[in-house]
Amino acid sequence: MAIDPGGKDLKRLLSEDQGGPVVMLNLLRFDDGGRELYDQYAEALSTTFLPRYGGEVIYAGDGSTALVAEAGQEWDAVLLVRYPSRSAFSRMVADPEYQQVTGLRTKALTEAVLQVTTPWE
């Protein structure tokens, strides 16, 4: 199961760019002890990388009761992160300093969904 976006994923992200801001949906499933590792990653993200690239967490919460989901489709956490552009997100994940801390996220998770959303008109 993929946890982190790869080069082909980022190329597709940029090739489908319609311009303007995006909100990244993050669905997270933690490994045993992963929440603590993710918290370390989230601290670096919120204090260093989101400000550097113009991003902001607009919602972060723990998963709770799944009303409409098959067994195993529950998520441990949900985040919505706004970026000024797809390019800003791509530059952030390519940043050498970011790559030094993203391993915390990788180790913390057993499964993840990162999905770009765009606002309805």
Side-chain angles (χ1 to χ4, degrees):
M1 183 68 51
I3 301 293
D4 301 308
K8 289 193 318 189
D9 302 315
L10 295 172
K11 285 181 185 176
R12 186 173 51 125
L13 173 78
L14 295 174
S15 74
E16 297 174 357
D17 193 356
Q18 300 171 358
V22 296
V23 173
M24 186 74 71
L25 168 66
N26 294 253
L27 301 175
L28 309 174
R29 189 163 292 123
F30 297 115
D31 201 357
D32 292 335
R35 181 58 186 256
E36 294 77 21
L37 290 171
Y38 193 86
D39 287 345
Q40 293 174 39
Y41 162 79
E43 176 69 19
L45 187 71
S46 65
T47 59
T48 302
F49 301 105
L50 290 179
R52 184 178 294 173
Y53 293 96
E56 65 175 316
V57 174
I58 56 176
Y59 177 82
D62 291 323
S64 186
T65 307
L67 298 178
V68 180
E70 299 294 324
Q73 289 184 325
E74 305 86 7
W75 295 96
D76 295 328
V78 176
L79 283 87
L80 296 172
V81 184
R82 183 188 175 283
Y83 294 93
S85 65
R86 291 173 184 236
S87 174
F89 174 80
S90 183
R91 289 192 318 273
M92 182 185 78
V93 299
D95 184 318
E97 284 183 68
Y98 174 84
Q99 295 202 2
Q100 291 177 10
V101 298
T102 195
L104 293 168
R105 180 185 179 280
T106 304
K107 290 177 189 174
L109 301 174
T110 61
E111 193 173 358
V113 170
L114 288 178
Q115 183 172 346
V116 175
T117 70
T118 55
W120 288 350
E121 305 246 347

